[in-house]
Amino acid sequence: MRTFKTKYKSTCKNRHWFLTLTLFLLIPSSPLLAQVTVGGTTDPQNFSILEIVTGYSDSNGKSDGGTEFGGLRLPRLTTEQRDALQASFGSEMNGKAKGLTIYNITSDCVETWNGSLWIGLCGPAEIRLLSCGNNTITVTDGTEITSGNTFTISYYDKTGADIVLTDDQILSSTLNGLTVKANGNQTLSATDGNIDIKVTGTPTATGNFTLPYTVAGKTCSIRVISVTPTTLNIQCPSTTPTISGNKGVALSGSTVLIPYTISGTPPFTLPESSDIFNGLTALVPQQTLTEASGNIIAIITGTPVDNTQGIYTWSIPVGETTCNVNVSITTPPIGTTCGNNNIPGMAFVFSYGGKWYVVKKSEMMNSRYYAALNEHDSEDDALRDPEAVQFCYNPQSYYICLPVYNRDGSRYGTTNNYFSMNSFSDDNNGILSFEGCSGSIHVYAGDEMSYSNGGLGKIPKSGKLAPIRVGGKLYLGAVSGTGGILTTKGLMY
């Protein structure tokens, strides 16, 4: 065993001892691998590689074997210098650098590198005050927490060693599936500072409860509000709604209302969904449903391109559900009197005084056939009226006798059946006949319906078309006041 005294009275002796020790250690020999005692002449313990002894003796008179009294003076570094030293560890950070020990003069504490952190060896750390704050988290039962789960709390008057927290270090017991943990690696060395924490897990219960956690012997809690999962229940209409349109005519403002209910606590955000069918697009916009029940709006736009007249079933996506919508596509008739322009037939339906009127097949009155009307509250109801007829028109508006067509595009009656003007009853009003073409009707979409004729007796020139009630029945007539507004749509099914 090698033993050395490490302290001499004179500087000269110290230099002589140091030179002798250096030369001795440079001489190759197997004893260099032996155990060493510094500060005395006793052999080191079997479990020691290096022992530093003093002249200390215990109460039984057992001496350490040294003759002097002193201590081990470790390398002293500030925290900034310590961190710079750590940067030099390189690939040995978790290898040979482990166990490196210094005295941190910033925190006045012995610190040892453990491969990932500096561990302080000072007295037990204490925090006088932990400012918990009114931290609250709202979670959903059965849903793992992924956001809104981090908090920062403040501490004051820390004494003793640094408090080292590692990321995900558990600070609480698990309660209803939730645990409080440290949020990131943190070394609390300052007297006052902040602590970052987080709540993790999947809630296993609903209701309100407190989740306690402890840092350095001080306890705080987080208020947890665990709510029932909010789910959307789509209730497709028991009667399938119908969207109607004409081939080649763009739809305008067609909507479908789809009932829903919400289980749990609203609001519920419904993501956008859409689908395309025969030139039409069904769009369910993203919408926030704030009521426990109501209707989801689906908007239908586009221009029907299907070549076959008929009703088709379209399954449109609504959230994670699909609901059926009937699509009625009409191929409008082409009237021969329209020339070669291929102008589609239009519904002979107009609005007047807040109501909608359907021009239907003629009725006999005073030995003549006149254009009768059916009254409806809405445009769509009027367009679906089974008695409604169609006519061929020119959107540029020119005077023409109007040939009449049935719903299926066939000509109503004979080729001589036109709407024309005939006088009736008084000096200001007249009604339309289905016979001949002695008068002309001037019709254009989006404006008042009117006719112009210079020689029909009691019918005023440039009169307006409107409903006239005669004998308790409604007829299409000409008046000198405000006229009706013709629809721009085709018939619906």
Side-chain angles (χ1 to χ4, degrees), residues 285-492:
Q286 177 175 313
Q287 47 202 284
T288 300
L289 309 176
T290 59
E291 302 296 331
S293 62
N295 291 309
I296 295 170
I297 300 175
I299 303 171
I300 313 297
T301 59
T303 301
V305 297
D306 195 284
N307 293 322
T308 305
Q309 176 175 295
I311 298 177
Y312 307 89
T313 299
W314 182 10
S315 295
I316 62 175
V318 185
E320 297 181 356
T321 308
T322 58
C323 290
N324 289 336
V325 173
N326 289 332
V327 179
S328 175
I329 299 177
T330 303
T331 302
I334 301 298
T336 56
T337 57
C338 291
N340 298 321
N341 294 327
N342 291 330
I343 302 301
M346 291 296 295
F348 209 159
V349 172
F350 65 95
S351 63
Y352 185 86
K355 297 287 186 178
W356 286 88
Y357 295 91
V358 170
V359 180
K360 63 179 182 179
K361 299 176 182 179
S362 58
E363 290 189 5
M364 177 71 74
M365 183 174 62
N366 296 340
S367 300
R368 298 181 68 90
Y369 286 96
Y370 293 93
L373 299 177
N374 288 339
E375 184 181 81
H376 294 277
D377 291 328
S378 72
E379 182 180 22
D380 282 358
D381 286 345
L383 294 173
R384 293 190 177 98
D385 190 319
E387 293 188 281
V389 295
Q390 305 177 85
F391 65 90
C392 185
Y393 84 110
N394 187 320
Q396 278 71 46
S397 305
Y398 61 88
Y399 298 110
I400 189 170
C401 289
L402 296 179
V404 182
Y405 293 85
N406 296 310
R407 275 183 165 273
D408 61 4
S410 62
R411 185 69 181 271
Y412 169 66
T414 67
T415 56
N416 292 323
N417 285 129
Y418 295 89
F419 281 118
S420 61
M421 307 304 297
N422 285 272
S423 61
F424 188 80
S425 76
D426 59 40
D427 291 337
N428 294 318
N429 298 322
I431 60 175
L432 290 178
S433 168
F434 265 108
E435 299 178 16
C437 192
S438 58
S440 298
I441 299 177
H442 185 195
V443 183
Y444 48 100
D447 206 341
E448 292 181 322
M449 299 183 298
S450 64
Y451 84 98
S452 178
N453 186 277
L456 288 180
K458 297 178 181 180
I459 306 299
K461 292 182 179 181
S462 300
K464 305 296 184 179
L465 300 185
I468 295 179
R469 190 174 295 277
V470 178
K473 294 184 179 182
L474 286 172
Y475 295 91
L476 179 63
V479 298
S480 57
T482 301
I485 303 298
L486 189 68
T487 182
T488 61
K489 298 180 180 179
L491 294 177
M492 298 169 63

Side-chain angles (χ1 to χ4, degrees), residues 174-323:
T174 298
L175 179 61
N176 291 335
L178 303 182
T179 307
V180 180
K181 299 180 179 179
N183 185 26
N185 294 328
Q186 305 165 68
T187 299
L188 312 182
S189 56
T191 303
D192 303 329
N194 295 321
I195 304 171
D196 295 322
I197 60 174
K198 59 187 175 184
V199 180
T200 64
T202 300
T204 58
T206 58
N208 300 342
F209 58 92
T210 56
L211 180 60
Y213 62 94
T214 301
V215 179
K218 293 294 186 291
T219 300
C220 286
S221 63
I222 295 174
R223 182 169 180 259
V224 179
I225 302 173
S226 182
V227 299
T228 301
T230 300
T231 57
L232 177 66
N233 306 306
I234 303 297
Q235 300 169 335
C236 298
S238 55
T239 301
T240 305
T242 299
I243 295 295
S244 300
N246 286 326
K247 173 191 172 185
V249 179
L251 294 183
S252 175
S254 295
T255 59
V256 175
L257 298 180
I258 300 171
Y260 74 87
T261 59
I262 290 178
S263 299
T265 304
F268 182 92
T269 300
L270 179 70
E272 178 181 303
S273 59
S274 63
D275 194 37
I276 297 176
F277 174 81
N278 281 349
L280 302 178
T281 297
L283 172 65
V284 178
Q286 177 175 313
Q287 47 202 284
T288 300
L289 309 176
T290 59
E291 302 296 331
S293 62
N295 291 309
I296 295 170
I297 300 175
I299 303 171
I300 313 297
T301 59
T303 301
V305 297
D306 195 284
N307 293 322
T308 305
Q309 176 175 295
I311 298 177
Y312 307 89
T313 299
W314 182 10
S315 295
I316 62 175
V318 185
E320 297 181 356
T321 308
T322 58
C323 290

